[in-house]
Amino acid sequence: MADARPTGRDRANRELKSRLKVAADRQGLGQAEIVRQTQLNGKSVSKGTVSNAFNPEKGPPSAVTLRAILEAMGISGTERAELFRLRERADSHGTTPLEAYLEAAAKAAHQHPYPELPGKHTPLAHVYLPQQARPHAQARGGGRDPRFATAETLSATEILERGEPCVMFAEPGGGKSSLLRTHLTAAVERWWAGQEITAIPVLVSAAALAGLSLPEALAECVNAERWKSGMPGDLAAGFFCSPPDPEVPWLVMVDGLDEIIDAGTRQEVLMALAAWAEQSSLYRFIVATRPLPIEELDALGRHLPLYQLEPFSPDDLLQAIRHWFHALKVSAPDEEAARYLSAIDRAQLIEVARAPLMTAMLCQLYANESTGPLPRSRGEIYYQFVSLLHEHQHATGISGIAPQTRAALERWGNDALSRAEQTLNGLPKLISYLAAEQYDGNTHPALDILTAHPAARPPERLSEYNTKVWRDFLAEALRRSGLLTLRGTEFVFLHQTFLEYLAARHAKETLAQTISTRLRFEVVKWPPERGASIADLPVERRMAWVPPPFQSSYLGFLIDLAYEDPGMNRLLMRWATDALDGCEFITRQVHLGTRLSSGVTDAAASTLDALARDTRFEYHNRVRAVDALVELGSQRAQDLLYDLGVGTTFNAHVRLYRIAGGLAEIQSQRAVDLLRALEQDPTVDDEHRQFAYVRLCWLTGRVPQQFTGET
């Protein structure tokens, strides 16, 4: 069947006819009056020709006809010129560069960004579930901004549809890339349908912007995905130097800013984006990243909106599992989804599973009939999924390699085939080695890194005469691994968290010292002015552990892998009992799904409670301690939050908005108890007591009545 999708010419033709009708209505002219006026002007145009000129189902009018109609309607100047430009676009022939880009971009964004088991090619649209976002709650200078403490969630899709610059934060695997891809696809579909959109999106990785001008980087990224989309030829860099359509800018969606490890390079990229935004109205920018220090983003402007992409709610999670089970053709998908969600809940994996990437992996593990108990942590989920990928590859061995690659190896004899088989058997460790090298900053191409490893070097005859055959074999092996993909001519990991997990696994397998010993090297002297410790030592003499920036995900995998190491538990207990930053690190690991003992989390809760109550501690840091207790979410944390809420350690605003609001997110009954106490507390002013009453009604399903202020 022929593709009935409207082209750019169709869109221009419809817009021309629409604007002609608007102009005629504005002048109060019907088509009969326009025909008469052309006759009076000595440029007679028939009734049928005028009718066709206004009919969106007919082609564009000739230049002579349009000129006569505009003269009859009294249209001149800029409006006349714009209508003639529309006619020229509607009358053009062949596929325009913009049409080629839009089709290619939509095809490239069609596939979801998460790893899949071999043979699966699930379209993103089949499993995507829209997420909510809320204004980001971190204030510059540390702590959270109380203005955002009770901010309602917004549709993340609607935020992007505005086409306005913003930053979208999300945790690892939190749905950033899926959101951007879905927005790109939806915008292209609206464009083809002739609907108005605020900007044309183009997706680019942050790393691609380093060292290139923006138009060059955009063209390079689009061209690198050309093999996936079937785009007939490369786009010139100049394509992105002009607007895609009159008065419609480019919406540059920058993904993975956090994947640039070097802080200086990140700043260079941000400053370049800010310069382009200031110089021209041609570009608007949306930046997607894991949480970064807010001060780093000042280069983009201190008033740029910041949003936090929310994980799935419990109801959303059930729907997401249903989507995946339908896509994976699980029998009785809706019933099985409900049963699987109950199993996830019993395994205490609900918080972990709320991240879209984790949902995807858990559902694929289930659909593959994985036996045994559910994983106990995020690290175990990655272990089972990566092991499953390797099992699928190992089952075929050298026979699974593409026929042309195998034939090329066979020409070099049994030694080449034997060496290839050995390399495939050792591929998991080789890929872990590659991940560790890239995580530590090795920027050489993946194939160059691998061939430098003794276990991946070619046989002697191949290394002497034809290394291309061996590199083709390695490239085929990496493609079949399910963990890497080609971006242009370079192999990259499908998701940053897989690089982090495999790099952590390589560290565990190769380090002479224990992981806990390695992590102790991160201990540094904490600045005295922060006052972030409850230790007895004088502030100027004490030491406190400072988590390395942007490494929480990687370190979480290391902690998972070293769970049985006695030194690790001692180290975690030190961080949980010494300083605010150590406790926040523990809290973040809980949020990520790292396996921690209850002793560690309870110790962190007690430390945070002590810090929150310590009046010698800076007030904004005491509020940080409250926020960390909310994030910790354990039973011990809930009990301590309730005690803080009914006490007078904090003012009414913090007790209501931060403590009661936080409890409502993790345990509604404790929030109900606290709100009831605050509503009846005579030391709380009427305004805050009324708010407590209204929120209490909302939580208990009652309709608020007039608040009397009586106790």
Side-chain angles (χ1 to χ4, degrees):
M1 182 181 293
D3 189 354
R5 183 177 57 195
T7 65
R9 297 185 301 279
D10 297 328
R11 295 185 69 260
N13 188 50
R14 280 198 296 268
E15 186 175 351
L16 172 63
K17 305 303 179 73
S18 174
R19 291 185 60 172
L20 282 174
K21 184 178 184 305
V22 169
D25 291 345
R26 186 178 67 233
Q27 304 279 15
L29 296 173
Q31 292 184 20
E33 286 84 354
I34 293 173
V35 170
R36 281 196 294 272
Q37 189 60 48
T38 62
Q39 293 169 347
L40 292 174
N41 293 342
K43 299 175 182 177
S44 180
V45 180
S46 70
K47 179 180 178 181
T49 302
V50 170
S51 176
N52 287 342
F54 281 83
N55 186 348
E57 302 302 320
K58 301 294 184 180
S62 69
V64 172
T65 298
L66 182 60
R67 188 176 299 111
I69 290 174
L70 296 182
E71 186 177 336
M73 294 169 62
I75 294 175
S76 60
T78 301
E79 185 177 8
R80 181 179 184 277
E82 290 175 352
L83 291 170
F84 263 96
R85 279 198 294 271
L86 282 173
R87 198 210 73 81
E88 290 171 8
R89 287 168 49 206
D91 201 33
S92 63
H93 298 282
T95 301
T96 66
L98 177 60
E99 290 170 3
Y101 161 70
L102 291 172
E103 187 160 352
K107 285 182 179 178
H110 176 72
Q111 200 70 18
H112 73 79
Y114 302 146
E116 286 192 278
L117 298 177
K120 304 293 184 182
H121 302 284
T122 307
L124 177 58
H126 289 188
V127 294
Y128 182 72
L129 193 68
Q131 292 171 257
Q132 298 291 300
R134 68 172 72 239
H136 191 62
Q138 184 175 348
R140 287 172 170 82
R144 299 176 72 184
D145 190 334
R147 293 174 299 171
F148 297 149
T150 59
E152 296 297 327
T153 58
L154 310 165
S155 164
T157 300
E158 291 178 4
I159 292 171
L160 264 60
E161 285 176 353
R162 299 171 187 167
E164 297 298 330
C166 69
V167 174
M168 186 69 70
F169 292 110
E171 298 297 338
K176 301 180 294 294
S177 297
S178 295
L179 172 65
L180 298 183
R181 290 183 182 213
T182 300
H183 175 66
L184 190 154
T185 302
V188 170
E189 289 175 354
R190 288 198 302 275
W191 177 267
W192 289 125
Q195 300 173 12
E196 183 178 347
I197 61 175
T198 55
I200 297 288
V202 54
L203 185 59
V204 60
S205 68
L209 298 174
L212 291 176
S213 72
L214 182 62
E216 289 175 327
L218 297 180
E220 188 172 287
C221 274
V222 172
N223 293 334
E225 298 292 308
R226 199 182 76 181
W227 68 276
K228 296 180 183 177
S229 61
M231 193 167 66
D234 282 349
L235 289 175
F239 174 71
F240 292 104
C241 291
S242 56
D245 205 50
E247 299 181 8
V248 177
W250 293 106
L251 180 65
V252 181
M253 301 189 299
V254 182
D255 196 13
L257 178 65
D258 56 282
E259 294 174 19
I260 301 176
I261 301 298
D262 180 66
T265 305
R266 281 197 307 274
Q267 276 302 294
E268 289 175 7
V269 168
L270 290 171
M271 290 174 68
L273 294 180
W276 280 100
E278 186 176 346
Q279 292 168 10
S280 172
S281 60
L282 180 60
Y283 307 105
R284 298 176 185 173
F285 297 98
I286 289 176
V287 177
T289 178
R290 294 181 189 180
L292 295 172
I294 300 301
E295 291 78 7
E296 279 202 23
L297 299 170
D298 282 348
L300 296 177
R302 293 179 62 86
H303 301 292
L304 188 71
L306 312 175
Y307 298 98
Q308 179 77 34
L309 190 60
E310 295 285 287
F312 292 143
S313 69
D315 289 342
D316 289 340
L317 180 56
L318 176 59
Q319 188 62 29
I321 295 173
R322 285 174 178 163
H323 283 184
W324 271 104
F325 280 9
H326 278 277
L328 295 169
K329 296 181 170 46
V330 172
S331 299
D334 293 343
E335 294 81 359
E336 285 301 303
R339 280 194 284 270
Y340 194 41
L341 181 61
S342 296
I344 290 172
D345 190 17
R346 289 193 299 273
Q348 298 182 341
L349 286 172
I350 287 289
E351 287 303 310
V352 180
R354 289 173 64 197
L357 171 58
M358 307 308 292
T359 306
M361 287 197 290
L362 284 167
C363 288
Q364 290 183 76
L365 287 171
Y366 179 89
N368 197 69
E369 301 180 354
S370 297
T371 58
L374 279 165
R376 291 169 294 182
S377 66
R378 184 180 70 135
E380 286 196 12
I381 295 171
Y382 278 79
Y383 171 77
Q384 289 189 14
F385 192 83
V386 170
S387 298
L388 193 57
L389 286 173
H390 178 59
E391 285 175 19
H392 278 269
Q393 186 189 57
H394 188 70
T396 57
I398 193 68
S399 62
I401 293 294
Q404 63 271 24
T405 305
R406 178 179 170 85
L409 288 170
E410 286 175 339
R411 285 196 291 271
W412 293 93
N414 290 333
D415 285 348
L417 285 175
S418 176
R419 181 67 166 167
E421 190 78 57
Q422 292 173 14
T423 301
L424 286 178
N425 290 337
L427 192 64
K429 289 187 177 181
L430 285 170
I431 292 178
S432 293
Y433 163 75
L434 171 64
E437 287 292 305
Q438 292 187 341
Y439 188 80
D440 287 339
N442 190 335
T443 59
H444 288 94
L447 290 178
D448 290 350
I449 295 173
L450 280 185
T451 53
H453 192 285
R457 287 175 186 159
E460 188 174 342
R461 290 186 64 196
L462 276 179
S463 62
E464 184 177 352
Y465 294 104
N466 196 340
T467 58
K468 182 180 182 302
V469 172
W470 188 254
R471 290 174 70 88
D472 287 347
F473 156 69
L474 287 177
E476 177 75 11
L478 291 181
R479 275 194 295 269
R480 291 177 60 241
S481 73
L483 292 167
L484 293 104
T485 186
L486 270 175
R487 184 176 292 161
T489 60
E490 300 297 333
F491 279 97
V492 296
F493 282 90
L494 273 168
H495 198 271
Q496 179 73 3
T497 52
F498 279 88
L499 182 151
E500 292 164 343
Y501 167 72
L502 293 166
R505 196 160 81 174
H506 178 78
K508 181 178 186 295
E509 293 168 352
T510 59
L511 281 176
Q513 73 271 32
T514 63
I515 293 177
S516 58
T517 301
R518 173 175 176 168
L519 293 186
R520 284 193 186 94
F521 296 153
E522 304 294 344
V523 174
V524 299
K525 192 167 185 178
W526 193 248
E529 63 272 14
R530 287 290 295 269
S533 175
I534 59 171
D536 294 331
L537 287 173
V539 168
E540 64 275 7
R541 287 175 49 201
R542 69 176 181 80
M543 301 287 284
W545 186 82
V546 182
F550 325 122
Q551 294 188 28
S552 291
S553 177
Y554 168 74
L555 294 178
F557 286 127
L558 281 178
I559 293 168
D560 261 335
L561 291 166
Y563 185 79
E564 304 297 336
D565 176 5
M568 176 58 72
N569 195 64
R570 289 194 297 270
L571 187 59
L572 292 172
M573 284 296 291
R574 173 184 172 176
W575 300 341
T577 56
D578 177 44
L580 176 57
D581 286 79
C583 290
E584 287 180 328
F585 176 79
I586 298 295
T587 297
R588 181 156 172 71
Q589 293 307 315
V590 170
H591 189 67
L592 286 173
T594 304
R595 191 180 176 196
L596 301 171
S597 70
S598 58
V600 168
T601 56
D602 285 350
S606 296
T607 302
L608 290 168
D609 179 60
L611 290 169
R613 295 177 185 278
D614 191 343
T615 56
R616 298 170 300 171
F617 204 29
E618 292 178 347
Y619 193 79
H620 77 275
N621 280 331
R622 292 169 59 202
V623 175
R624 277 176 60 195
V626 169
D627 292 335
L629 273 172
V630 171
E631 292 295 322
L632 198 57
S634 65
Q635 185 61 53
R636 173 69 174 153
Q638 295 171 33
D639 294 341
L640 293 172
L641 283 167
Y642 179 83
D643 291 342
L644 284 170
V646 296
T648 58
T649 300
F650 291 100
N651 61 34
H653 184 88
V654 172
R655 292 163 68 191
L656 275 167
Y657 288 84
R658 307 305 272 269
I659 300 176
L663 273 174
E665 292 180 11
I666 56 178
Q667 224 287 351
S668 60
Q669 186 54 53
R670 297 312 300 270
V672 167
D673 295 341
L674 176 56
L675 288 168
R676 187 170 285 123
L678 291 171
E679 178 202 0
Q680 298 171 0
D681 188 341
T683 67
V684 177
D685 63 86
D686 282 354
E687 181 181 352
H688 284 97
R689 290 172 62 201
Q690 181 175 16
F691 179 84
Y693 167 72
V694 172
R695 193 66 183 267
L696 179 63
C697 290
W698 179 74
L699 281 177
T700 55
R702 292 183 292 146
V703 177
Q705 304 297 320
Q706 181 64 37
F707 180 75
T708 63
E710 298 175 359
T711 60

